[in-house]
Each structure stands twice: as structure tokens, then as C-alpha cells.
Amino acid sequence: MIRFYFHPTPNPAKVALYLEEAGLPYEAIPVDTSRGEQHAPAFRAINPNGKVPAIVDSKGPGGREVRVFDSTAILLHLAEKTGEFLGKPEDRPELLSWLLFIASGLGPFSGQAVHFQYAAPEGLGYAVNRYRREAERHYKVLDDHLAGREFIVGESYTIADMSAWGWLDRASRVRKGEDDPLGPFPNLKRLFQAVDSRPAVARARRVGEGHEFKKVNDEETKRSLFPSNYPPPA
């Protein structure tokens, strides 16, 4: 059994999608990051970085229980565990390259673009421009790569496509104010729509739907989500 710690945000969504695609049995455990539950000692024992997603796999390598944190690490762990959605062995270098491109570029710059357009104080125009333009540059890199290709790596659907889907799903927030946020990136839009139409996506979107996550952006939320903005307690 896999215990899946999640919040309905892009990186946990990737893991939810994999679990549903592979049909792995799992228990979804909500972590309300707006209430600061990610900072509880019990969760920090699973992810010392205090972020979701994280999993505990009761049947890890050698049959022992293991923790895995960071969405890319989790996708790799689960794909290696099941042997599914890894592509061909000869595609491995390309798979790792694009996974880390998303993990270190497209994802973080998209997240910062959203933060500075929606959460940061007014008057930070440089940061808004910097992160949004860099997110768009990453979109263009992937869009160019996808010209004439159905999937990011090789000839089959892999964890690279799942990983990209998680953040492309938030394109309307990354490119705030755009009626068709993926319109200038037709190959990327085609990939997103192809993944988004898969039955497993609908199931992944329903993970935790019965749990009421906090939606109020008050002082508690800001301190929970952005603790480094505040001085440490005396």
C-alpha cells in the first residue's frame, strides 16, 4: 500500500495521475498547506523539506517501507516499481533530461510566475515580468521540441508527459489574463489536451474531493505557505 500525502496543487497532481494510470492501491492523506500541516513533526519525518507531495511505500525496494519526497523522485520510484510509463531503455537519458527540465525549470518558474502575479505585494513589476517571461520561455523550449512528436520522450506516453501536464494545467494562472494561455504554443497545447483527455486524469482530479481545504488567504495562510518571509520565532 502507498500512503500518498497531497494537496490539490500541480506537483501532487502529477503523482495522483500516475497512481491512477498504473492502478496502484493507495491511501490519499490530505495535507492542508494553508493551515500549515506540512510543518507538523509527523509530516517532516516523511519530507524534511515540508512540501507535498510525498509518499510512504510499504513495499519499497527489498520489501521494506520507504519514504519518497519530491514529485519527480516519486514518479521515477513508482515507474521503476511498476515498470510502466518509463519508455524504452534507450530513451532513458532523454527521459531524465526532460524530467529534470520540468523539475528545475518549467515547474519552478511557473510557480514563481503564479506567486508574483497573485500572491506577492503590488509594485514588484520586475519580478512579475522576470518569472512570467521565463515560464513562457520554458513553454517555447518544450513546444519546439514537440514539433512533429506526439509525446515528449520516445513514441509512448511517459512520466515526462505526466509531469508536464501537472503544471500546464495551471497555464491560465501562469499567463494571467490570456484567453487562450497555450494558444501561442500549439504543440504544447496538443500534448496537454491529449493527456487531459485520458480517463485517469478525471480520476486524479477527484482525489481528495471530499476534503475541505482552506481557501482563505489570511495571515495564517501566508505564514504557512511562505514561512521564510517572516522572522523565525524567538
Side-chain angles (χ1 to χ4, degrees), residues 75-135:
L75 289 175
L76 282 166
H77 169 76
L78 295 177
E80 290 170 352
K81 177 186 178 76
T82 64
E84 296 186 67
F85 308 110
L86 273 172
K88 296 179 180 179
E90 57 266 34
D91 294 329
R92 179 76 170 190
E94 191 83 357
L95 178 71
L96 293 175
S97 296
W98 286 108
L99 279 174
L100 293 176
F101 167 85
I102 296 165
S104 65
L106 189 148
F109 280 102
S110 295
Q112 292 300 325
V114 172
H115 174 81
F116 282 102
Q117 291 179 100
Y118 289 91
E122 295 289 333
L124 298 175
Y126 174 86
V128 169
N129 182 70
R130 161 71 177 163
Y131 287 109
R132 175 162 169 162
R133 298 307 175 208
E134 270 296 283

Side-chain angles (χ1 to χ4, degrees), residues 145-146 149-158 161 190-191:
H145 169 71
L146 283 164
R149 307 177 61 93
E150 186 174 358
F151 302 105
I152 295 175
V153 176
E155 298 178 355
S156 63
Y157 175 56
T158 69
D161 305 301
R190 173 180 45 77
L191 174 75

Side-chain angles (χ1 to χ4, degrees), residues 1-4 19 22-28 56-58 81:
M1 173 65 73
I2 291 168
R3 300 196 297 275
F4 168 41
L19 290 167
L24 286 168
Y26 68 95
E27 176 189 5
V56 173
D57 185 351
S58 63
K81 177 186 178 76

